Amino acid sequence: MKETITIKTLAKELNISISTVSKALNDSYEISIETKQKVWDLAKMLKYNRNPSASNLRSHKTKTIAVIIPEIANNFFSQAINGIEEVARQRGYHVLIYQTHENTDQEIAFTDSLLSGRVDGILISVSSDHDNRDHFTALVKEIPTVFFDRVYEDIDAARITTDDYESAYNATSYLVECGCKKIAYLFALNNLNAGKQRMSGYQDALKAHQLAYREELTVNYDKDADLNYQNIKDLMLNERPDAVISSIEDLALPCYYVCKELGIHIPDDLKIISFSNLNTAPLLNPSLTTITQPALEMGRQAAAILFKILDKKHFEPNEWLTLKSTLIKRDSTACH
Amino acid sequence: MKETITIKTLAKELNISISTVSKALNDSYEISIETKQKVWDLAKMLKYNRNPSASNLRSHKTKTIAVIIPEIANNFFSQAINGIEEVARQRGYHVLIYQTHENTDQEIAFTDSLLSGRVDGILISVSSDHDNRDHFTALVKEIPTVFFDRVYEDIDAARITTDDYESAYNATSYLVECGCKKIAYLFALNNLNAGKQRMSGYQDALKAHQLAYREELTVNYDKDADLNYQNIKDLMLNERPDAVISSIEDLALPCYYVCKELGIHIPDDLKIISFSNLNTAPLLNPSLTTITQPALEMGRQAAAILFKILDKKHFEPNEWLTLKSTLIKRDSTACH
DNA sequence: CTGTTAGCGCCTTCAT
DNA sequence: ATGAAGGCGCTAACAG
């Protein structure tokens, strides 16, 4: 470690005052272009780097945003972060990552700690383990926050989602058109609006096609993976549906396994459609049709909204954007 | 926004000095337990949050680390970040994410900017587009840095990798044992040690089994996806190998497509093994066997090494850890 | 054990 | 167009 170089160093070297250097570095209009140039040149030569802590302390701007998500190692979220990071980068912002692992207590700890002024804004996709939003009401008043994908509608903040209802509705209709009569539903995220919307879309589509919604055709997600497996197996044994819609990838997988175990052939005996954002679609088992959310785009847009708020420095009537999902049909699930 | 509450507020409220409050909050041994308790209680009641910028400025500790990776939306890296974040969290550290998108210029910009003291340490997996390490020689002297997975061996810093050579060697041997005589290699990351090691493992395994290494059986990765497709297609048409080892997922995919187009059946006509960290293995086409790196564990260990360096506050003889990959054999690729 | 003092590096009036 | 001075909030000697 060598001696650190500060604006003081530059000032001394150029025989000008510290404040002049500071202003020059900030491209202030009160400084002559020649002086600025001299400062910039020397700064570059000496590889000067502004000390962010000192700068933040004075200016109350951190050039940093936080992203709070349930899980990084999830295709949807990692793609969303990709989009967020891309936009943040363009603006010269830094991106902090926090994973809740679907734990509300952890989420509360994060949001509380972010009240310290460590970041200028927050992007968050809420944890699914509780329907608890108390910690957000205070947060959104203190610091610009954008909710994405997993949102609470009754929090007064900007938010961006996908068309959960419509996509589930369309997927269900599609299965009906394929001739399916007994469409099961693997239900997750039931604490969240997204989960509820997907379920409603499924139910309404059934109704629209004169098919009855039956609770026995539904499996509720459980943290216990073994239990999920067993429940799905029971569903298959007791009801033998001819199609399944899964609200998350994590339920489509055990379903796939169950079929393997029971010798149920996909898609001839059973068609599966799952909400999924695997970026390796072509490698997927061709019998799985997916409802794919525009994760990258959502990340970009969410960040864009946040920066819009940050730019205005005051809170706008909060935006609510909805992006469209895509039903990606693999060959072998296509209607015949 | 209400008026911010600082240690000064607490001090005034309790009629003690600012420094006493500061020490109490830092759990200093020089403060009586009663005073500490009073301070803590009030702090909690008033929801006091230490201003990180001020603290950093004074103490030169940011409680923040940076992770620089090529791409977040890549299973290997997102799992690694997962592990890193987990360990950082335990230590109360914050994690900044930077994506290079395989662009060395971007990488240089990041490392330069991190010299400003924004972070206490850096975890990095280097970009593959150039074999350029100049920007690291200065960096590693200034700030604790751990290289993971994609490393430069000649940089004097801690690093952690997987057994690229061995895993490629074993995979190749496995194919030979399955009866394959003409094993092609899809070569990527050729600027990096990892890429070279994998290639060497492949070559040496061929030799060990009295099979000749032939350049015509190799396709070099190109940024142009269409070109990769065409090159692989040419390989298939001209050489008709009976097996392929792909050094990255991104080359296994086009290979898979080519086979589809040419009517080459996998795995009967052609066996494919790819380095891959898809977390959805069971959904994968069952004809793809993978060499899977312990990404999560690597993230954890990399972070652990960094914290070890941070704890000691001086640079140790640099560690070099190697973790083992796993050859995950799908049913249908198994030897018969 | 507690308080006083002096900055960390930078930005920002306010003068000149 | 430039400079002097004060302070952001906190920590770290150093005294008591």
Side-chain angles (χ1 to χ4, degrees):
Chain A
M1 320 270 181
K2 47 188 164 188
E3 92 295 352
T4 105
I5 125 137
T6 74
I7 51 173
K8 205 168 158 186
T9 326
L10 302 184
K12 207 170 286 172
E13 199 75 25
L14 294 171
N15 271 317
I16 55 179
S17 81
I18 290 177
S19 59
T20 304
V21 174
S22 172
K23 285 172 187 166
L25 289 172
N26 288 319
D27 200 8
S28 160
Y29 66 94
E30 349 176 46
I31 303 295
S32 72
I33 183 68
E34 303 90 45
T35 310
K36 282 184 191 172
Q37 201 57 57
K38 277 196 300 186
V39 173
W40 293 338
D41 289 347
L42 185 64
K44 183 172 287 180
M45 193 158 58
L46 265 43
K47 294 194 176 172
Y48 164 77
N49 264 310
R50 186 196 316 251
N51 179 316
S53 302
S55 178
N56 298 346
L57 180 56
R58 262 320 313 248
S59 65
H60 292 291
K61 276 172 199 149
T62 64
K63 282 270 182 185
T64 305
I65 60 174
V67 180
I68 305 177
I69 49 168
E71 211 72 49
I72 288 168
N74 165 309
N75 265 282
F76 174 77
F77 291 114
S78 63
Q79 286 179 65
I81 294 174
N82 188 350
I84 292 167
E85 209 263 356
E86 176 187 316
V87 174
R89 194 87 297 131
Q90 284 163 204
R91 307 277 307 230
Y93 270 70
H94 300 255
V95 181
L96 283 166
I97 298 287
Y98 301 89
Q99 302 190 80
T100 63
H101 296 294
E102 306 286 9
N103 177 343
T104 301
D105 291 337
Q106 185 66 76
E107 188 174 83
I108 293 172
F110 290 151
T111 50
D112 280 357
S113 90
L114 289 176
L115 253 13
S116 67
R118 182 178 287 275
V119 299
D120 295 343
I122 299 176
L123 290 163
I124 184 167
S125 202
V126 309
S127 156
S128 66
D129 68 334
H130 286 103
D131 195 348
N132 180 341
R133 66 207 67 187
D134 298 347
H135 49 302
F136 291 128
T137 51
L139 182 75
V140 300
K141 274 180 225 148
E142 297 286 334
I143 176 168
T145 303
V146 176
F147 291 78
F148 68 98
D149 189 50
R150 297 164 165 218
V151 310
Y152 286 127
E153 301 195 12
D154 49 359
I155 296 285
D156 183 32
R159 51 204 180 289
I160 175 168
T161 54
T162 48
D163 56 343
D164 292 292
Y165 176 88
E166 288 77 6
S167 54
Y169 187 101
N170 293 338
T172 308
S173 301
Y174 172 72
L175 287 172
V176 174
E177 284 155 20
C178 285
C180 301
K181 301 274 181 223
K182 209 168 179 182
I183 305 170
Y185 189 82
L186 308 182
F187 190 21
L189 309 178
N190 35 59
N191 285 316
L192 299 174
N193 203 263
K196 292 172 191 161
Q197 290 293 320
R198 291 174 189 183
M199 174 54 116
S200 299
Y202 159 72
Q203 290 175 325
D204 289 358
L206 287 184
K207 200 179 298 173
H209 293 277
Q210 283 86 41
L211 289 174
Y213 164 70
R214 293 197 302 121
E215 190 142 0
E216 306 86 73
L217 280 173
T218 297
V219 169
N220 284 299
Y221 175 78
D222 194 279
K223 291 226 164 194
D224 178 357
D226 293 337
L227 188 55
N228 287 331
Y229 187 88
Q230 191 54 51
N231 287 339
I232 293 170
K233 191 169 168 183
D234 291 345
L235 169 73
M236 290 301 159
L237 292 172
N238 299 334
E239 298 287 341
R240 260 298 192 151
D242 51 14
V244 167
I245 294 187
S246 175
S247 58
I248 57 172
E249 245 164 50
D250 279 2
L251 284 176
L253 284 181
C255 182
Y256 183 81
Y257 280 131
V258 166
C259 290
K260 208 167 175 183
E261 183 189 336
L262 299 181
I264 298 175
H265 187 264
I266 304 167
D268 295 338
D269 300 340
L270 181 84
K271 298 193 194 311
I272 299 181
I273 296 184
S274 177
F275 280 83
S276 167
N277 275 272
L278 294 170
N279 54 5
T280 46
L283 270 181
L284 280 176
N285 188 299
S287 52
L288 188 71
T289 284
T290 58
I291 302 166
T292 300
Q293 297 173 284
L296 178 66
E297 190 54 25
M298 180 173 270
R300 287 192 189 124
Q301 300 255 10
I305 294 173
L306 181 58
F307 285 121
K308 210 153 86 180
I309 298 172
L310 254 25
D311 285 344
K312 300 213 189 114
K313 279 165 182 153
H314 68 100
F315 291 59
E316 280 286 294
N318 287 311
E319 288 191 60
W320 186 353
L321 258 178
T322 306
L323 303 181
K324 282 218 177 309
S325 300
T326 316
L327 188 67
I328 301 181
K329 299 164 191 171
R330 311 279 179 253
D331 299 348
S332 44
T333 318
C335 293
H336 36 218
Chain B
M1 321 273 181
K2 47 189 163 190
E3 91 296 351
T4 109
I5 124 136
T6 74
I7 51 173
K8 203 167 160 187
T9 326
L10 302 184
K12 206 169 284 171
E13 198 77 24
L14 294 171
N15 270 319
I16 55 179
S17 82
I18 290 179
S19 64
T20 304
V21 174
S22 172
K23 286 173 188 166
L25 289 172
N26 288 318
D27 200 10
S28 161
Y29 66 95
E30 352 175 43
I31 303 294
S32 74
I33 183 68
E34 303 91 46
T35 311
K36 280 183 192 172
Q37 200 58 57
K38 277 195 301 186
V39 173
W40 293 339
D41 289 347
L42 186 65
K44 183 173 288 180
M45 193 159 58
L46 264 43
K47 294 194 177 171
Y48 164 77
N49 264 309
R50 184 199 318 258
N51 179 316
S53 302
S55 178
N56 298 346
L57 179 56
R58 214 36 255 266
S59 64
H60 293 291
K61 277 172 198 150
T62 63
K63 282 268 181 189
T64 304
I65 60 173
V67 180
I68 304 178
I69 51 169
E71 211 72 48
I72 289 167
N74 166 309
N75 266 282
F76 174 78
F77 291 115
S78 63
Q79 286 178 67
I81 294 174
N82 188 350
I84 292 167
E85 209 264 355
E86 175 187 316
V87 174
R89 195 88 296 132
Q90 284 162 205
R91 306 276 308 231
Y93 270 70
H94 301 255
V95 181
L96 282 166
I97 298 287
Y98 300 89
Q99 301 191 80
T100 64
H101 296 294
E102 306 286 10
N103 178 342
T104 300
D105 292 336
Q106 186 66 77
E107 189 175 84
I108 293 172
F110 290 150
T111 49
D112 280 356
S113 90
L114 290 175
L115 253 13
S116 67
R118 184 179 287 274
V119 298
D120 295 343
I122 299 177
L123 290 163
I124 185 167
S125 202
V126 310
S127 156
S128 66
D129 68 334
H130 287 103
D131 195 347
N132 181 340
R133 66 208 65 188
D134 298 346
H135 49 304
F136 292 128
T137 51
L139 182 75
V140 300
K141 274 180 227 150
E142 296 287 332
I143 177 168
T145 304
V146 176
F147 291 78
F148 69 98
D149 189 51
R150 298 166 166 215
V151 311
Y152 287 126
E153 300 194 15
D154 50 357
I155 296 284
D156 183 32
R159 52 204 179 288
I160 176 168
T161 53
T162 49
D163 56 342
D164 292 293
Y165 177 87
E166 288 78 7
S167 53
Y169 187 102
N170 293 339
T172 309
S173 301
Y174 172 73
L175 287 172
V176 174
E177 283 155 21
C178 284
C180 300
K181 301 277 182 218
K182 208 169 180 181
I183 305 171
Y185 189 81
L186 308 182
F187 190 20
L189 308 178
N190 35 57
N191 285 316
L192 299 174
N193 204 263
K196 293 172 191 161
Q197 290 293 319
R198 291 175 189 183
M199 174 53 116
S200 298
Y202 159 72
Q203 291 175 323
D204 289 357
L206 287 183
K207 199 179 300 174
H209 292 276
Q210 282 84 45
L211 290 174
Y213 163 71
R214 292 199 301 122
E215 189 142 0
E216 306 86 73
L217 281 173
T218 297
V219 169
N220 285 299
Y221 174 78
D222 193 280
K223 292 227 163 191
D224 178 356
D226 293 337
L227 188 55
N228 287 331
Y229 187 89
Q230 191 54 50
N231 287 339
I232 293 172
K233 191 168 167 183
D234 290 346
L235 169 72
M236 289 302 160
L237 291 172
N238 300 333
E239 297 287 341
R240 259 298 191 152
D242 52 14
V244 167
I245 293 188
S246 175
S247 57
I248 57 171
E249 245 164 50
D250 279 3
L251 284 176
L253 285 181
C255 182
Y256 182 81
Y257 280 130
V258 166
C259 290
K260 209 167 173 184
E261 182 189 336
L262 299 181
I264 298 175
H265 188 264
I266 303 169
D268 295 338
D269 300 340
L270 181 83
K271 299 193 193 310
I272 300 182
I273 296 184
S274 177
F275 280 83
S276 166
N277 274 272
L278 295 169
N279 54 5
T280 46
L283 271 180
L284 279 177
N285 190 298
S287 51
L288 188 72
T289 284
T290 59
I291 302 166
T292 301
Q293 297 174 283
L296 179 66
E297 190 56 23
M298 180 173 270
R300 286 191 189 123
Q301 300 254 11
I305 294 173
L306 180 59
F307 284 121
K308 211 153 85 179
I309 298 173
L310 253 26
D311 286 345
K312 301 213 189 117
K313 279 164 182 153
H314 69 97
F315 291 59
E316 281 286 294
N318 288 311
E319 287 192 60
W320 185 354
L321 258 177
T322 306
L323 303 182
K324 280 217 176 311
S325 300
T326 316
L327 188 68
I328 302 181
K329 299 165 191 172
R330 311 278 180 255
D331 299 349
S332 43
T333 318
C335 293
H336 36 219

